[in-house]
Each structure stands twice: as C-alpha cells, then as structure tokens.
Amino acid sequence: MTAPLPIMPATSSIITPRFGQHQWQNEWRHKWLHKKSVSGRLRAFFAWALDAWPLVALALCIWPSPLQASAPHALSTLVGSTKHSSKPIASATTLRAISLLTSAVQVPSNSLSNQSPSKQSLSKSMQREGCFDERRFCFLLSEKDDTSGSYVIRVQRYIDLPVALTLYSTDLGYKAHANAFLANNDPIVLGETQSPSRFFSTMRVKWTVGNIGAAHNSEYRYASPLQPQQSYPIVQGVNGKFSHFGASKYALDFGASEGTPVLAARGGIVIDTKRNGKKGGPTPDFAKHANYVAILHDDGTTGEYYHLKYEGVVVKREQRITQGQLIGYTGNTGFSSLPHLHFGVYVAKFHGRYQSVPFSLQNPRL
C-alpha cells in the first residue's frame, strides 16, 4: 500500500513547502551543473535564484529591522506621552439600574504638549489638574519637595456631595488601581508618578455617586413616585427577567405615558441629573441616552429615577428636595422598550458599581 502524503498544517506559510524541496533539489542541481555547458549552467543558476528569492527577501527584511525600529521607538518615548491634550483623558462610565451614565472630562490644565521634553519641568508650586463631571472632583499632581523628580497624585472633590471612585493607572503599582471615597473636601493621596503627561494620557477613572458605607433605613416607607399610585401599574418588579437582576434586583418599573409628572419618593439632595438624552430602545446600547434624577437620602443611599423625557428634568444638582416634590416627567429614553419610570434605591460601590436594596412603599401593591 502506498503511504499517504503528509498533510500540511493549516497554519503553514506559503514558503514552508519550498523549504522541504531544497535538500533534494540542491543534490540534483549539483550533479547536473557539472555535466552541462555554460549556457546550461546559467539556466540552472536562474532556476535556483527563482527558488531562493523568498529566502533572500526575508534576509533583507530582517537585517535592517532593528535599526528601523529603534529610531521611532526612541521618538515615541520622548514625545508620544505629551499628546494627552489631543484626546480625552478618560471615559468615565457608571452603569446604574439599566442606564449608562457618561460624563464629560476636562483636559488637565497646565498642559505642556506643545513644548519639548526639556521644557516640561514644573516649579515646586505648580500643579497639574484633571477634572471630571463639571468639577465634581479633580486629580491634582504636585512635585515633591525633594530631588526625586516624582509627583504626588491626589484627588479632591469640589462639590459637597459624596462620591466613590476608582483610579486606574500603571503608576499605582502591581494592583494598577486605587479606591477613594470622597466624603469631604480634603484631598486624598493615591500614589506617585514620574511623568504627569504619561499619567494623564493613560489613566482611567470610574465613579458612583453616593455613600460607600450607606446603611439603608429599612423602616422608611417610600411614597409612590407616580400619583395616584393605583393608576400606574408595576410592569417589572423585583427579580424582573428583562433587566431587574444582579445589581438592579430590587428596582421597580412603573408603566406610564410620556410626560407623566414624577414626584420624589423620599426627600434629600439632588446628587446627579441628566436631561439631554433623546434616544431610547430595547437594547443596552441605548442605555447611555437615559435621562434621570438621583437624590441622596439622609442614610447615604440614593433614590434614582430613570427614562425621563428629553429636557424632562426640573431640578438641579445640590438642590434640596422634599417628598412629593415634582422632579421631572416620564419618558422613554435609554434602555427602554416602552414609556415607563424606573425607580430604585442604591448603595454606591467602588469600580463604578452599585447595589440596589429592598425598599417598601407606603401602600404596597397586591
């Protein structure tokens, strides 16, 4: 029986089969060259060259490559890290209930991207600053008072509302992240960096508004955010299969036509809002368009109202709210398949996370 031909691996390159021919081809050509005329030898040489050209081309590509690669790498080391002002510092997102909140980022002040590396030294008193969410909090880099050339990384809030954040940066050691709960306006040291431009061009941050150590008052009875309560059915309750699972397990969805007044289920301080979303749809990619109001309660939890209509928010951040006060109007923005109001009570977590907690209405539904 004739032995079957070997099957070439699927990953073999097109040049691989040619390598296998060289041993027998060279032996055959060696004998043939010694028996042929000059013209025959020339024809044999050109035939050999035709077979060998892939190896020659490969050698020509490999030989200069170290020299060609070293120059651009050196250049990028010098100037590549100074390009942070040409793109956002970070994308900060927090998935809340079934909505994705996207916040704007302010490019750091004192940017030196147009200067050569030799001019990037900072005076002892100079700081670099990168702020988020309309200066809700800022990262401050200040040069240390020694000869190390290091910069201390601090974070400080500028709005008197609590926020839990996580900073991601390779400058923060093997964990590459640091958590900070901003309960007051005192700056918090997160680490050090040797290069402010590299830090701001590579760092990322996620945050969640609210108190990281909140203990929900389970005795509190929430008013229905839509009145009269019996006119607005719950279309998705606790453990709802569509989206009420995991971190949003204890949220409620109230069916309501667009433009229905939304009332505060519990008093507190407005900690966050979004009003300019115009789109809505039944898939998660619409979540970032949801309009909402988040209210900080006195126990550190937040009551959050989602899918409000475009320009349907009538309160402002830091505004004090009483139970039953008008805060907006229902809509169908964000991750939403029909007009309704999503309401839940949440506790903030690090890494942009959150957790819903059980709550009770004043007049429980049957």
Side-chain angles (χ1 to χ4, degrees):
M1 180 180 293
T2 304
L5 294 175
I7 299 175
M8 295 302 298
T11 56
S12 296
S13 64
I14 60 173
I15 201 172
T16 301
R18 302 181 71 87
F19 291 149
Q21 299 173 7
H22 282 209
Q23 183 176 0
W24 66 264
Q25 283 179 346
N26 287 342
E27 183 179 354
W28 172 75
R29 284 179 182 142
H30 176 74
K31 295 178 180 179
W32 185 79
L33 284 172
H34 283 81
K35 296 181 179 179
K36 296 296 179 180
S37 63
V38 174
S39 60
R41 291 182 182 183
L42 287 175
R43 287 195 298 271
F45 172 79
F46 286 119
W48 173 85
L50 185 63
D51 255 359
W53 76 263
L55 296 177
V56 176
L58 181 63
L60 291 175
C61 290
I62 293 176
W63 178 75
S65 61
L67 295 178
Q68 294 173 353
S70 61
H73 176 72
L75 184 63
S76 66
T77 302
L78 291 175
V79 302
S81 61
T82 66
K83 301 294 186 183
H84 62 269
S85 63
S86 64
K87 62 182 180 180
I89 299 171
S91 59
T93 57
T94 300
L95 185 64
R96 173 71 86 223
I98 53 177
S99 300
L100 183 68
L101 320 184
T102 305
S103 301
V105 175
Q106 178 177 319
V107 174
S109 59
N110 302 323
S111 172
L112 301 176
S113 61
N114 296 323
Q115 300 182 16
S116 64
S118 61
K119 297 180 181 180
Q120 288 190 7
S121 60
L122 297 176
S123 67
K124 294 290 183 180
S125 61
M126 180 175 282
Q127 292 186 333
R128 290 191 172 190
E129 181 181 85
C131 295
F132 292 79
D133 196 14
E134 299 178 353
R135 292 185 66 85
R136 182 186 292 275
F137 59 88
C138 299
F139 291 95
L140 311 171
L141 270 61
S142 56
E143 192 173 4
K144 295 183 67 176
D145 294 327
D146 56 25
T147 59
S148 67
S150 297
Y151 295 79
V152 178
I153 304 170
R154 294 182 175 87
V155 64
Q156 184 174 3
R157 76 175 194 184
Y158 289 91
I159 294 177
D160 295 334
L161 295 169
V163 58
L165 64 83
T166 301
L167 169 67
Y168 303 89
S169 172
T170 54
D171 290 310
L172 299 177
Y174 73 96
K175 289 186 177 180
H177 76 269
N179 296 323
F181 173 54
L182 306 183
N184 53 49
N185 296 340
D186 296 334
I188 297 176
V189 175
L190 298 178
E192 296 182 6
T193 181
Q194 293 288 328
S195 172
S197 58
R198 181 188 66 219
F199 169 78
F200 278 123
S201 64
T202 60
M203 59 88 78
R204 296 291 182 269
V205 60
K206 293 182 180 180
W207 71 90
T208 307
V209 295
N211 193 326
I212 199 74
H216 181 240
N217 178 7
S218 59
E219 301 297 322
Y220 190 87
R221 295 295 180 264
Y222 290 77
S224 175
L226 302 181
Q227 296 291 340
Q229 182 176 346
Q230 62 271 17
S231 298
Y232 302 98
I234 295 177
V235 294
Q236 186 180 195
V238 174
N239 284 320
K241 293 182 179 180
F242 182 68
S243 60
H244 290 181
F245 45 82
S248 291
K249 175 180 178 179
Y250 297 106
L252 299 177
D253 286 348
F254 297 85
S257 59
E258 184 169 341
T260 301
V262 178
L263 312 178
R266 181 176 178 178
I269 300 174
V270 178
I271 196 171
D272 208 3
T273 66
K274 175 180 168 62
R275 67 184 72 232
N276 60 358
K278 295 181 178 181
K279 298 180 180 180
T283 55
D285 54 304
F286 286 96
K288 62 186 177 182
H289 301 290
N291 298 316
Y292 61 87
V293 172
I295 297 176
L296 177 68
H297 304 144
D298 58 10
D299 60 8
T301 62
T302 54
E304 310 200 3
Y305 310 74
Y306 280 87
H307 311 300
L308 306 184
K309 72 174 188 177
Y310 172 67
E311 295 295 346
V313 175
V314 300
V315 294
K316 298 179 180 180
R317 189 164 64 180
E318 298 185 87
Q319 180 179 343
R320 184 166 291 278
I321 301 297
T322 58
Q323 186 184 66
Q325 182 174 337
L326 178 67
I327 60 174
Y329 296 92
T330 59
N332 193 26
T333 58
F335 181 14
S336 176
S337 58
L338 76 166
H340 73 285
L341 174 70
H342 174 101
F343 174 69
V345 180
Y346 296 89
V347 174
K349 302 292 182 183
F350 290 123
H351 299 283
R353 299 171 184 163
Y354 54 90
Q355 181 60 55
S356 62
V357 296
F359 64 93
S360 300
L361 296 174
Q362 291 176 352
N363 299 306
R365 307 228 177 188
L366 298 178

